[in-house]
Amino acid sequence: MAVCTVYTTQSLNSTCSISTPTKTNLGFHQKQVVFYSTSGKRSSKRGGSTTTVITCSAGDSQTVVIGLAADSGCGKSTFMRRLTSVFGGAAEPPRGGNPDSNTLISDTTTVICLDDYHSLDRTGRKEKGVTALDPRANNFDLMYEQVKAIKDGIAIQKPIYNHVSGLIDPPELIKPPKIFVIEGLHPMYDERVRDLLDFSIYLDISNEVKFAWKIQRDMAERGHSLESIKASIEARKPDFDAYIDPQKQYADAVIEVLPTELIPDDNEGKVLRVRLIMKEGVKFFNPVYLFDEGSTISWIPCGRKLTCSYPGIKFSYGPDSYFGHEVSVLEMDGQFDRLDELIYVESHLSNISTKFYGEVTQQMLKHSDFPGSNNGTGLFQTIIGLKIRDLFEQLVASRAGAPVEAKA
Ligand SMILES: Nc1ncnc2c1ncn2[C@@H]1O[C@H](COP(=O)(O)OP(=O)(O)OP(=O)(O)O)[C@@H](O)[C@H]1O
Ligand SMILES: O=C(CO)[C@H](O)[C@H](O)COP(=O)(O)O
């Protein structure tokens, strides 16, 4: 954060937080402020008097914005818990705020849920016959203005969509963090919002797997019937196909989750084939590779160093094309028996942006109770978390004018 001086005849505007006001010999109130904004000169006129803010240089104050898109119940919260853990410290709802807030704040990150930009509440959607996935049920103008404000270092008053009551609650104050994650149904839908993202991820869960996860959560944990789960998935599908799924073409990284190919005609959905699709040419993001960058590799690591029970584990890696973009794809089919042995796999991966040998394995062991920890969903979410940390560090360094090397 940079410190600058403000000369004003009245109270400061909301972009500044104030400390130690003093009286200058000009007769103005001189205030030292922590200014969250970028360079330039701002003037605003209020109540007839002019407030002139002499701003500071950009420094390292600009927020890095990450977008995470997925349908509901597809692992966004789990991913966010893995991501915030990479930065250390626990993520919590805003202290003393609305108990039904969807926001999670840690030292470095603030994660907001884009459900908060629903413009129609539950009753409004019912009356108009639209789902929450329909853009008409969401306020993209406000989403854009507020994400832009945060990126520019300006605090916002963000609405809250209350999932308990189905109503839109009074807003909560969100201050610009170092890393601002916008997760939800539509982070890449609106071009203006999309252009603000420094990095974007799409969690692409196939219908079969989505169904299995929904049954596990909504039937086992929330007491819903099988029929009602099927009906809710079917009701959302046309809007999901029209408005949510197409966003994956814009993502810098896609985690695709499919049924295994190791068990013929598997319909249990327990063993997963997970593909990490990484766009080439994204600034500050070097795709992960297995053994040899750019080659096509198929690897079965089971044997002396990795314990595998049926149906085993198969990794693949290679270049591909995705919606006309050049990508690298890393795939893992199967699941780990012993998570501590993951170090063997980790040691064969490159460009994983770890700060020390074994960091991926350490993170996975730390959260072994999270869903997906024994398969490619947990592994790739963890790796993307580390890549985001690396991207953040490179971006900050580049803004401060000091180039840094990407981590190996
Ligand atoms: N990698 C995974 N492997 C197995 N099950 C998973 C995985 N990720 C998520 N799930 C299942 O999906 C459920 C929802 O996960 P999570 O809460 O992370 O999703 P979400 O997208 O944040 O959901 P919502 O938007 O509804 O809050 C979990 O309770 C779990 O049952
Ligand atoms: O797709 C969703 C994203 O989480 C929800 O269904 C949407 O936000 C509406 O929420 P609710 O069902 O609680 O009214």
Side-chain angles (χ1 to χ4, degrees):
M1 267 181 204
V3 173
C4 54
T5 303
V6 172
Y7 299 94
T8 176
T9 51
Q10 59 167 52
S11 64
L12 291 163
N13 67 33
S14 60
T15 61
C16 303
S17 71
I18 309 159
S19 63
T20 55
T22 51
K23 192 119 167 134
T24 69
N25 54 9
L26 292 170
F28 289 113
H29 296 284
Q30 181 188 349
K31 293 167 183 175
Q32 225 191 16
V33 298
V34 177
F35 195 75
Y36 298 110
S37 190
T38 51
S39 59
K41 189 173 174 182
R42 277 164 191 264
S43 273
S44 69
K45 207 166 182 190
R46 284 199 195 160
S49 65
T50 301
T51 302
T52 302
V53 180
I54 303 162
T55 63
C56 21
S57 60
D60 64 355
S61 62
Q62 209 180 9
T63 296
V64 171
V65 184
I66 309 290
L68 173 67
D71 197 4
S72 146
C74 286
K76 296 184 298 291
S77 314
T78 310
F79 187 8
M80 282 305 108
R81 286 195 290 163
R82 288 191 198 277
L83 175 70
T84 45
S85 160
V86 163
F87 288 95
E92 290 171 359
R95 286 219 182 96
N98 186 330
D100 296 326
S101 166
N102 302 307
T103 301
L104 285 174
I105 299 176
S106 73
D107 287 349
T108 325
T109 60
T110 292
V111 182
I112 65 155
C113 175
L114 296 178
D115 293 351
D116 289 336
Y117 293 98
H118 289 337
S119 51
L120 296 174
D121 63 12
R122 206 174 280 156
T123 313
R125 293 195 301 270
K126 208 168 176 187
E127 279 169 5
K128 291 221 159 50
V130 293
T131 71
L133 298 90
D134 191 315
R136 287 172 297 173
N138 295 278
N139 186 344
F140 287 101
D141 289 342
L142 185 65
M143 190 191 294
Y144 164 66
E145 278 161 26
Q146 297 206 330
V147 176
K148 176 154 184 3
I150 289 285
K151 191 156 183 167
D152 287 344
I154 300 167
I156 56 170
Q157 287 287 346
K158 182 190 60 55
I160 300 173
Y161 178 72
N162 188 321
H163 281 281
V164 180
S165 65
L167 299 171
I168 295 162
D169 282 353
E172 62 187 355
L173 176 71
I174 304 289
K175 290 183 188 160
K178 288 183 177 156
I179 299 176
F180 187 53
V181 185
I182 58 170
E183 63 95 343
L185 298 171
H186 306 98
M188 284 100 91
Y189 180 82
D190 184 287
E191 193 180 352
R192 297 166 302 169
V193 179
R194 200 161 67 226
D195 287 346
L196 294 170
L197 301 176
D198 293 297
F199 193 75
S200 54
I201 306 127
Y202 185 90
L203 300 183
D204 187 7
I205 315 299
S206 65
N207 287 333
E208 299 95 317
V209 176
K210 201 189 280 186
F211 189 54
W213 288 2
K214 275 259 176 208
I215 289 176
Q216 184 189 319
R217 183 178 73 170
D218 294 354
M219 211 165 143
E221 296 168 23
R222 297 186 179 177
H224 296 188
S225 70
L226 190 63
E227 289 66 36
S228 74
I229 296 169
K230 269 188 193 157
S232 122
I233 290 181
E234 284 310 312
R236 292 170 70 96
K237 196 158 183 325
D239 283 353
F240 174 79
D241 291 343
Y243 309 119
I244 312 304
D245 195 56
Q247 292 176 94
K248 62 189 179 195
Q249 66 187 291
Y250 304 117
D252 297 316
V254 175
I255 298 179
E256 197 175 84
V257 186
L258 304 149
T260 182
E261 284 184 344
L262 299 174
I263 306 172
D265 304 321
D266 174 66
N267 51 15
E268 251 195 293
K270 285 207 172 117
V271 182
L272 301 175
R273 178 163 77 100
V274 187
R275 287 159 51 86
L276 175 58
I277 302 164
M278 298 161 282
K279 223 178 236 177
E280 295 288 342
V282 176
K283 204 170 177 194
F284 303 127
F285 176 73
N286 295 323
V288 177
Y289 66 88
L290 180 64
F291 293 115
D292 182 35
E293 192 167 15
S295 296
T296 298
I297 312 273
S298 179
W299 182 43
I300 296 175
C302 306
R304 292 195 186 131
K305 293 184 182 148
L306 196 78
T307 315
C308 298
S309 53
Y310 180 81
I313 299 176
K314 185 176 168 192
F315 276 87
S316 319
Y317 162 75
D320 207 340
S321 166
Y322 188 76
F323 290 97
H325 296 286
E326 208 185 311
V327 294
S328 283
V329 181
L330 178 65
E331 177 179 314
M332 174 183 165
D333 196 350
Q335 53 194 34
F336 299 111
D337 277 11
R338 292 188 44 181
L339 217 42
D340 54 330
E341 291 176 350
L342 173 61
I343 188 75
Y344 176 62
V345 171
E346 180 178 349
S347 64
H348 289 82
L349 294 170
S350 300
N351 271 350
I352 45 177
S353 298
T354 46
K355 286 198 191 278
F356 55 87
Y357 179 72
E359 191 176 12
V360 172
T361 307
Q362 189 199 62
Q363 280 293 329
M364 289 282 282
L365 283 167
K366 194 166 152 193
H367 302 301
S368 57
D369 56 330
F370 285 8
S373 287
N374 64 346
N375 62 39
T377 59
L379 176 63
F380 295 159
Q381 287 178 5
T382 302
I383 290 176
I384 289 296
L386 295 169
K387 301 293 296 178
I388 289 174
R389 182 183 65 188
D390 187 28
L391 178 127
F392 164 72
E393 289 173 358
Q394 290 189 66
L395 258 166
V396 167
S398 79
R399 283 171 187 168
V404 287
E405 288 284 307
K407 304 278 175 327

